[in-house]
Amino acid sequence: MARKVPEINAGSMADISFLLLIFFLVTTTMDVDSGIVRRLPPPPDPTADIPEVKERNIFNVLVNKSDRLFVEGRWGDISNLRAEAKEFLANPNNREDLPEKKFEVIPYLGEYPVSRGIISLKNDRGTSYNMYIQVQNELTAAVNELRDELSRQKFGVKFSELSQDYTDAIQKAIPMSISEAEPEDIGGTK
């Protein structure tokens, strides 16, 4: 006579599996890659005239394939880049070799001299990602420090603590004017 094989009750197995799945989904963290925050300009109107930018209004930063900086026609150092960019954009003494300023009426600030300066960044195709990020961080930090200084001067608080209206005013007074060119073979091994 054939014996019956006892069956295992698997009715609750689906429930347990589902609960384990939910547990792991809720407790697992995902690494989120964060990029560099930049708002790209709209595409240029093909019929519009391209405005001339005076040479004094451009701060040239080149990074070669050996991760060496070439700032404003001379070899530079990453440790000085932030200070040089701040000096260029602020032009506190209105030097003729630094960018000109245009007075604009900005809400909450009144008439304010806005720098016409543009930081032009160009990388070699062989530039390391680490150096690229370091340069981006220093240039962004220069603008952020200028914004923070103006915010403290005008409103008595850090830029990050301002309301949206005041933030917009500071951003108009000190725009994030970083222009990045397409990487190419710049060269230089020194």
Side-chain angles (χ1 to χ4, degrees), residues 109-122:
L109 296 176
E111 194 171 44
Y112 188 82
V114 178
S115 174
R116 304 324 257 169
I118 298 170
I119 298 173
S120 174
L121 174 61
K122 194 170 206 175

Side-chain angles (χ1 to χ4, degrees), residues 27-187:
T27 60
T28 302
T29 59
M30 300 282 184
D31 287 335
V32 178
D33 290 335
S34 58
I36 298 171
V37 178
R38 291 280 188 269
R39 196 176 92 210
L40 296 175
D45 181 7
T47 60
D49 292 331
I50 298 173
E52 286 282 324
V53 179
K54 295 179 182 175
E55 186 62 35
R56 75 180 270 194
N57 292 339
I58 301 174
F59 184 74
N60 290 301
V61 179
L62 302 171
V63 186
N64 70 9
K65 65 183 176 187
S66 302
D67 292 345
R68 293 278 318 270
L69 284 176
F70 200 65
V71 180
E72 286 295 286
R74 63 192 179 342
W75 292 109
D77 190 287
I78 193 76
S79 62
N80 301 329
L81 185 59
R82 184 184 310 190
E84 290 177 27
K86 279 179 68 175
E87 174 74 18
F88 173 81
L89 291 173
N91 191 6
N93 300 321
N94 289 324
R95 291 179 20 198
E96 291 293 321
D97 59 330
L98 294 179
E100 57 194 352
K101 297 177 181 180
K102 181 179 178 186
F103 281 89
E104 295 181 17
V105 177
I106 299 173
Y108 306 107
L109 296 176
E111 194 171 44
Y112 188 82
V114 178
S115 174
R116 304 324 257 169
I118 298 170
I119 298 173
S120 174
L121 174 61
K122 194 170 206 175
N123 296 288
D124 189 278
R125 291 187 204 285
T127 301
S128 72
Y129 185 71
N130 181 39
M131 184 61 166
Y132 172 77
I133 293 297
Q134 285 183 50
V135 170
Q136 285 282 353
N137 285 344
E138 290 301 310
L139 295 176
T140 302
V143 174
N144 288 338
E145 284 182 12
L146 288 171
R147 287 176 174 175
D148 200 44
E149 289 168 10
L150 180 60
S151 175
R152 287 178 189 272
Q153 176 191 352
K154 295 290 186 180
F155 307 118
V157 295
K158 294 191 311 188
F159 177 70
S160 60
E161 297 172 359
L162 291 176
S163 68
Q164 188 60 46
D165 290 339
Y166 293 129
T167 299
D168 292 344
I170 296 290
Q171 288 174 337
K172 285 180 185 167
I174 303 173
M176 181 74 71
S177 299
I178 300 175
S179 172
E180 190 170 348
E182 183 74 26
E184 59 182 47
D185 292 321
I186 298 171

